[in-house]
Amino acid sequence: MATVEATQQKVQRMLVEGFGDIILSKDGSFAIERGSTRINVEVRDWGKDNKGEPSSIVRIWAMVARGVKPSPEFYRWAAVDGSKFMFGSVTVLENEGATECMVAFDHTLLADYLDLDELCGAVAMISGTADDIDDIVHDRFGGKRYTDPDDAPPAA
């Protein structure tokens, strides 16, 4: 078991070993850009285990679309198809009263016994799936991919 800070150091070492260059954020999170998406890796506190030792989790997520117009078909796709993945699931993020929403794809790992293969495998799976999902969302429901410029016209 380890503190968030110790786990962040471990995760950083593993990500550099597995992927080479990574982006470090001021908040202690990491990012990797792959394909048309950016994979974010965050270490979070998970309280204490049954022995009173600190425990942590690693959240791996990617913003796959922004500016998506909510519709019943979109929400059905997110709820039904977005939950069928072996690793990860679709999350719809909306602001109250907003006419557009964002779509993320995320997965969480317990960090207490995390190893290189587990972390890098999960990051690669989330990366590949998110890179596919952003095209599905863009083509079927509109909005913009992570890599689309802000001034690009959204898909219809």
Side-chain angles (χ1 to χ4, degrees), residues 11 40 65 105 138:
V11 166
N40 301 283
F105 187 69
H138 179 266

Side-chain angles (χ1 to χ4, degrees), residues 29-149:
S29 64
F30 314 99
I32 301 166
E33 293 189 352
R34 297 181 59 135
S36 59
T37 193
R38 178 183 194 151
I39 308 306
N40 301 283
V41 181
E42 303 170 345
V43 178
R44 296 184 176 175
D45 179 56
W46 193 241
K48 298 198 181 294
D49 66 11
N50 59 359
K51 296 178 185 173
E53 297 292 324
S55 188
S56 54
I57 57 173
V58 176
R59 180 173 178 243
I60 304 164
W61 65 279
M63 185 62 59
V64 295
R66 55 195 161 88
V68 178
K69 302 272 189 233
S71 68
E73 295 78 21
F74 167 68
Y75 285 119
R76 183 179 191 294
W77 173 85
V80 176
D81 294 340
S83 66
K84 290 182 179 178
F85 300 97
M86 189 67 66
F87 291 93
S89 62
V90 169
T91 303
V92 177
L93 307 165
E94 57 182 18
N95 293 327
E96 191 170 328
T99 59
E100 297 178 340
C101 54
M102 297 183 290
V103 181
F105 187 69
D106 63 88
H107 184 66
T108 302
L109 300 170
L110 293 171
D112 296 339
Y113 304 102
L114 189 65
D115 65 25
L116 176 69
D117 291 336
E118 181 182 18
L119 177 63
C120 292
V123 168
M125 285 185 277
I126 298 305
S127 171
T129 305
D131 197 30
D132 293 339
I133 290 173
D134 66 0
D135 293 327
I136 293 168
V137 172
H138 179 266
D139 295 346
R140 285 182 62 185
F141 306 108
K144 298 177 183 178
R145 296 173 198 88
Y146 167 76
T147 55
D148 291 343

